[in-house]
Amino acid sequence: MSDGDEPAVSADEVRRVADLARVDLNDEEVEQFAEQFEAVLADFETLDEVPEVESEPDLVNVMRADEIEDGLTQEEALSNASETEDGYFKGPRVS
Amino acid sequence: MSQALADRELAAVIGLEVHVQLETDTKIFCNCSTDAADDEEPNSRTCPVCLGLPGALPVLNEAAVESAVKIGKALDADIPEETTFHRKNYFYPDLPKGFQLTQYDAPICADGELEVRVEGERREIGVRRAHLEEDPGSIQHEGGNIDTADYTLVNYNRAGTPLMEIVTRPDFRSPAETRAFLAKLEEVLEYLGVFDATRDGSLRVDANISLVPADEVGDDGDISEDTLEDANRTEVKNISSHKGAEQALAYEVTRQKNAVKRGREVEQETRHWDESRGVTVSMRSKEAEKDYRYFREADLPPLQVSDWKERIPIPELPDDRRERFRAEYGLSEEAASKLTSRKSVADLYEQLAAEFEPDLAATWVADNLLGELNYRDMVVADITDRLDEIEYVIRLVAEDELTAKNAEEVVLRRMLDEGESPEAIIEEEDLGKASGGEVEQAVAEAIEENPDAVADYESGDDGALNFLVGQVMGKTGGSADPGQVNQLLREELA
């Protein structure tokens, strides 16, 4: 991938991805992530070398009957949340 | 084309994306109940799957697939040989997993259509595709509106409710047509038994709208691809009713026409329908299609259900039933339409028409009952446990034991308002049709008590007779037959 001087992952691409994930990055972090993204992409490129195989999926039509089962209680559902209010998960303002 | 656009007649081109909740017992990928009680606690119908906890695996609900196939059949759509699920990635707190499970390039239904009637004209609306997906959770912006809120509260009870997203072709030429389409779609879905219109939030609509030069629209409403591509589109989100669709789109048509008239370009953007203010407002630009990074959901194997189209029966649909009602019961088109638009109403009618004169049953259901229910913001579903009582009342009318007027205006109204039984109301109001003897006695009394009116009648004033008829009707509590009273009075005074 990185066979020229052009960086494989540009700072703008990192910012766009960070934006979609609603993560704020400073310039230093952007640079750091660009390098890391590049390494991750290079690792995945290894998969291109795997020879093609017939990959018929074994399974089709895996379904279940429409029958109600008990799930979690409210207390259980909220037990991993760092903040809750009146039975709700509580999070920062979003738009 | 835009240089001259301001001077040209413009026509609206509209397409809809309709999300409907499917009436299954459980969520689409887990066994949690979909039954949302009004007073339920938040986050009380969840499990590791619909909360997106690590390691939880989705398993598709067979009933949701059946519903989708039924919808496909009703829309005369293709059910492809193989259909698959994708992850649509976006980061928002209503999605616990960080993606929505939906369908992308292989939806379960493709190339359907639905015929609607708008002002007597038949319009065929193309359905590009319809696919299954999961509903997100619901979020509340606390301490202000979406932009000024202090924080967010999230409830995942709704997360995972099965949705069908039905995407039309840009075949609508007016906001009124979209309203007619949504009403018709609801009728059909209700007939199929896959949808409950009374459920809050069960129908959500996004609309695409653009303006094109009117002379580029063919007589059959066709518009070339080039014309469509030249026009800038807005997408209007947050529409939740038929009426809302018509209003939001009418607002957009005016807004876009005004922009063009002032020589401005219509911006290609997403807008939010603010129902309380009756306006659309620009939304901050959201993700573009490629930002969703769709990819195959490896935890859900492909579906091959094209043969279900033969296997799963669907009931007679509203159009067919309306035509049958006209032929079988000799009803007018108007009465037949009114009686078939809701399955519950049509079923009630057929039940009553089997027992009484079809015309009497039609008047009772289409006019009296639906009229009184509408007036009270009620629907047939609200009185399904009282159908025996309704039948009892109609029987009394059919057998001439109760006047039609009293049956509707007194008995039916009190039944609906006070929940009393018809027997009790008839007893209390003394409405059983007055027996011959009672009427005769009332006639005799009226004559005796009103000598002046009698004298007027005898001196040739026919109006005095009406006064006497009124007196008799009053004495019998309206239960006498006015024609018969009139005749008895004439005989007595002859």
Side-chain angles (χ1 to χ4, degrees):
Chain A
M1 191 178 222
S2 51
D3 51 3
D5 293 342
E6 192 87 348
V9 179
S10 72
D12 280 350
E13 282 173 315
V14 172
R15 287 203 183 87
R16 181 69 187 139
V17 172
D19 199 38
L20 289 173
R22 308 286 188 266
V23 178
D24 265 335
L25 298 182
N26 60 34
D27 289 351
E28 199 180 312
E29 287 166 326
V30 168
E31 211 171 296
Q32 199 183 335
F33 273 99
E35 280 166 31
Q36 291 182 0
F37 280 8
E38 203 168 324
V40 171
L41 289 170
D43 285 349
F44 273 86
E45 236 168 74
T46 317
L47 290 175
D48 292 345
E49 286 153 34
V50 176
E52 291 248 353
V53 287
E54 281 292 310
S55 59
E56 278 295 302
D58 301 329
L59 296 168
V60 291
N61 295 355
V62 177
M63 284 175 265
R64 61 176 176 80
D66 188 22
E67 285 159 13
I68 297 171
E69 282 172 22
D70 282 340
L72 301 173
T73 62
Q74 185 189 64
E75 194 183 335
E76 287 167 336
L78 297 173
S79 59
N80 289 322
S82 53
E83 283 196 65
T84 63
E85 184 175 301
D86 298 335
Y88 291 88
F89 291 90
K90 185 176 176 183
R93 176 167 78 89
V94 290
S95 61
Chain B
M1 74 168 199
S2 57
Q3 73 278 3
L5 202 55
D7 305 323
R8 295 169 78 174
E9 190 77 20
L10 296 170
V13 181
I14 302 166
L16 296 181
E17 289 174 17
V18 188
H19 299 81
V20 291
Q21 285 184 339
L22 299 176
E23 269 300 282
T24 53
D25 289 340
T26 65
K27 294 182 178 181
I28 183 165
F29 298 118
C30 62
N31 295 83
C32 292
S33 169
T34 54
D35 192 8
D38 286 340
D39 55 351
E40 72 179 3
E41 281 286 310
N43 298 301
S44 57
R45 282 187 289 115
T46 67
C47 73
V49 174
C50 55
L51 283 181
L53 298 186
L57 291 173
V59 186
L60 187 57
N61 181 351
E62 189 173 27
V65 180
E66 279 176 8
S67 299
V69 171
K70 286 181 186 171
I71 292 171
K73 274 181 90 163
L75 297 176
D76 199 18
D78 298 330
I79 311 290
E81 206 51 53
E82 185 164 290
T83 165
T84 54
F85 287 86
H86 276 69
R87 296 182 177 189
K88 178 182 183 178
N89 296 279
Y90 65 93
F91 203 68
Y92 204 63
D94 60 1
L95 285 184
K97 298 189 287 295
F99 58 84
Q100 181 189 29
L101 279 176
T102 180
Q103 299 195 280
Y104 185 50
D105 54 1
I108 190 161
C109 303
D111 290 325
E113 64 198 21
L114 187 67
E115 190 186 279
V116 296
R117 280 163 162 262
V118 190
E119 286 157 18
E121 198 193 339
R122 277 173 205 272
R123 297 272 291 120
E124 195 117 286
I125 303 298
V127 171
R128 200 192 298 274
R129 56 181 285 157
H131 68 251
L132 282 166
E133 62 185 26
E134 59 180 340
D135 212 345
S138 28
I139 58 180
Q140 295 173 19
H141 306 283
E142 288 297 306
N145 64 27
I146 188 163
D147 289 318
T148 62
D150 297 326
Y151 58 95
T152 306
L153 294 182
V154 192
N155 176 3
Y156 292 115
N157 282 345
R158 192 183 70 181
T161 301
L163 291 183
M164 193 82 176
E165 177 176 333
I166 298 161
V167 183
T168 77
R169 297 190 182 281
D171 286 349
F172 300 99
R173 297 292 167 261
S174 73
E177 288 183 1
T178 64
R179 184 174 183 169
F181 175 86
L182 292 170
K184 178 65 175 289
L185 181 65
E186 269 196 9
E187 280 176 23
V188 169
L189 295 174
E190 195 209 35
Y191 265 70
L192 294 173
V194 302
F195 176 70
D196 179 1
T198 63
R199 211 195 245 191
D200 213 22
S202 57
L203 175 99
R204 273 117 61 194
V205 182
D206 299 337
N208 286 297
I209 172 164
S210 53
L211 296 179
V212 299
D215 52 23
E216 290 182 29
V217 180
D219 289 341
D220 50 2
D222 275 358
I223 297 171
S224 77
E225 292 281 324
D226 287 348
T227 303
L228 282 179
E229 263 174 41
D230 275 347
N232 270 359
R233 257 184 344 191
T234 54
E235 186 177 3
V236 183
K237 292 189 171 284
N238 194 42
I239 299 169
S240 58
S241 66
H242 316 168
K243 204 171 109 199
E246 188 173 11
Q247 289 171 337
L249 289 165
Y251 177 87
E252 264 304 294
V253 169
T254 309
R255 191 189 67 82
Q256 293 191 15
K257 278 189 177 164
N258 285 342
V260 172
K261 237 186 266 169
R262 292 186 195 125
R264 287 209 309 263
E265 187 139 297
V266 174
E267 217 163 318
Q268 185 127 341
E269 61 177 349
T270 302
R271 299 179 69 86
H272 180 92
W273 168 239
D274 184 335
E275 184 154 320
S276 59
R277 291 197 292 147
V279 297
T280 66
V281 287
S282 182
M283 279 169 87
R284 228 161 303 164
S285 81
K286 290 189 81 180
E287 279 85 351
E289 169 98 348
K290 71 173 171 46
D291 294 332
Y292 289 128
R293 294 152 292 161
Y294 281 98
F295 61 89
R296 267 292 303 280
E297 167 57 79
D299 292 333
L300 290 167
L303 272 184
Q304 294 176 354
V305 292
S306 59
D307 59 321
W308 286 24
K309 210 176 165 183
E310 317 308 322
R311 230 186 60 203
I312 299 177
I314 59 170
E316 185 183 39
L317 295 175
D319 284 352
D320 292 338
R321 201 166 191 186
R322 184 189 63 229
E323 292 313 309
R324 181 168 62 77
F325 273 22
R326 293 182 65 187
E328 196 172 324
Y329 302 113
L331 299 178
S332 70
E333 166 139 18
E334 197 199 337
S337 295
K338 232 175 170 177
L339 289 169
T340 50
S341 70
R342 287 274 170 262
K343 184 171 185 294
S344 50
V345 175
D347 288 346
L348 173 63
Y349 174 72
E350 292 223 81
Q351 195 185 321
L352 294 173
E355 234 178 304
F356 306 108
E357 283 288 309
D359 276 343
L360 176 70
T363 305
W364 255 84
V365 177
D367 299 335
N368 302 356
L369 185 58
L370 289 186
E372 298 293 337
L373 287 173
N374 280 344
Y375 182 71
R376 288 164 180 76
D377 253 338
M378 292 169 75
V379 292
V380 170
D382 296 328
I383 52 148
T384 36
D385 54 338
R386 308 190 69 189
L387 294 183
D388 287 350
E389 294 179 353
I390 304 265
E391 206 182 306
Y392 172 78
V393 175
I394 301 176
R395 186 180 309 287
L396 291 182
V397 176
E399 291 172 358
D400 249 355
E401 300 279 326
L402 183 67
T403 65
K405 192 171 148 66
N406 278 337
E408 181 191 354
E409 294 177 7
V410 183
V411 181
L412 182 57
R413 286 180 190 173
R414 282 193 54 180
M415 277 173 67
L416 297 177
D417 288 336
E418 294 155 33
E420 274 184 273
S421 77
E423 289 93 334
I425 299 165
I426 290 166
E427 169 84 40
E428 203 176 306
E429 302 261 355
D430 197 16
L431 296 179
K433 240 191 196 172
S435 64
E438 263 179 80
V439 179
E440 274 160 31
Q441 199 191 330
V443 166
E445 280 175 23
I447 291 173
E448 199 181 309
E449 291 165 13
N450 299 284
D452 291 350
V454 171
D456 286 350
Y457 173 73
E458 283 169 344
S459 63
D461 178 3
D462 254 11
L465 192 69
N466 289 338
F467 171 80
L468 291 168
V469 172
Q471 295 300 304
V472 177
M473 294 306 287
K475 287 179 183 296
T476 58
S479 64
D481 176 49
Q484 190 202 354
V485 173
N486 192 303
Q487 199 187 336
L488 278 174
L489 280 166
R490 283 178 193 281
E491 282 167 11
E492 284 297 311
L493 298 174

